[in-house]
Amino acid sequence: MSGNIKLLSDTLAAAKAEGRSALIAYLPAGFPTVDGGIEAAKAVFDGGADVVEVGLPHSDPVLDGPVIQTADDIALRGGVKIADVMRTVREAHQATGKPVLVMTYWNPIDRYGIERFTAELAEAGGAGCILPDLPVQESAVWREHADKHGLATVFVVAPSSKDARLAEITAAGSGFVYAASLMGVTGTRASVGEQAQDLVRRTKATTGLPVCVGLGVSNAEQAAEVARFADGVIVGSAFVKLLLAADGDLAAGLAGVRSLAGELAEGVRKRS
């Protein structure tokens, strides 16, 4: 069975055709529970997200700040498994018909087996994987299997990336390019900054792939700011914060993330 890279590409292209950025939401699988995480993914889609990234919880999430680390810890203590990640992808996609990716560090895939992981992700209806710590020069085997199964390989670029390195990364990637707006870890911030705009400009000079910006966006105003220059706006910690703040009241948490997704969806359409 083939994965949904075409659905991802078509979704990003449709947003561009509407003259706006796409809204991409990140949520960890298994948080606050496996079922709760599935409902949260559906809720952000209901609110207006175009794409959802499902995080595969990891004990050492080097790119993630304290909010997502806390959620990952809750998911891991709850016993979340890769099978639960695949179930989250499957149910979120089947319920909405929209593209769902997995964001994961490399070690879990390496231990699980590349062929097994890509085959199961495609079977679940997944659109691809974001791999923040897989070096491009070591990614050939992964990309071979991802291509075979119709899955996007999304790499992360950072403000520190030199132009030659950007060209190397974007040439190997597919689906879109994840542009980290600043050096550091995930988390909400008062300002996204000019670094992101410069990084998007330099990245776009190397590729025709959409360039989507993450790290730091938490409200409609910031989403509108980033939407002026990026093809997609990625938001994660702000959603996770709402689920944490709900403190076990899943209905309240779902209402919060659905509402925030609606505000952000309006933001990416304003392009202030």
Side-chain angles (χ1 to χ4, degrees), residues 16-76:
K16 185 175 183 179
E18 292 173 15
R20 66 174 179 90
S21 288
L23 175 60
I24 302 175
Y26 167 91
L27 291 162
F31 169 75
T33 61
V34 175
D35 288 342
I38 292 168
E39 293 307 310
K42 294 178 186 176
V44 293
F45 273 137
D46 288 345
D50 298 289
V51 180
V52 164
E53 303 172 7
V54 173
L56 195 162
H58 194 271
S59 57
D60 185 25
V62 293
L63 184 69
D64 296 309
V67 171
I68 291 174
Q69 286 183 22
T70 299
D72 277 6
D73 183 58
I74 291 169
L76 291 167

Side-chain angles (χ1 to χ4, degrees), residues 113-201:
I114 299 172
E115 172 59 22
R116 181 184 178 195
F117 189 93
T118 51
E120 290 183 8
L121 182 55
E123 190 277 329
C129 246
I130 302 166
L131 300 164
D133 67 341
L134 176 63
V136 169
Q137 61 269 26
E138 298 175 19
S139 67
V141 174
W142 161 266
R143 287 186 284 125
E144 177 187 338
H145 287 278
D147 289 348
K148 179 174 74 172
H149 289 290
L151 299 169
T153 297
V154 179
F155 289 114
V156 178
V157 297
S160 60
S161 302
K162 304 298 184 186
D163 290 351
R165 179 66 174 160
L166 288 176
E168 182 183 7
I169 292 170
T170 58
S174 56
F176 65 91
V177 182
Y178 187 126
S181 65
L182 40 78
M183 301 304 295
V185 296
T186 58
T188 59
R189 289 175 173 82
S191 174
V192 179
E194 293 182 6
Q195 279 187 321
Q197 187 167 0
D198 179 64
L199 176 59
V200 169
R201 178 188 59 77

Side-chain angles (χ1 to χ4, degrees), residues 2-10 126-128 146-147 149-153 174-175:
S2 183
N4 273 312
I5 185 173
K6 185 177 185 302
L7 175 63
L8 174 65
S9 298
D10 289 349
D147 289 348
H149 289 290
L151 299 169
T153 297
S174 56

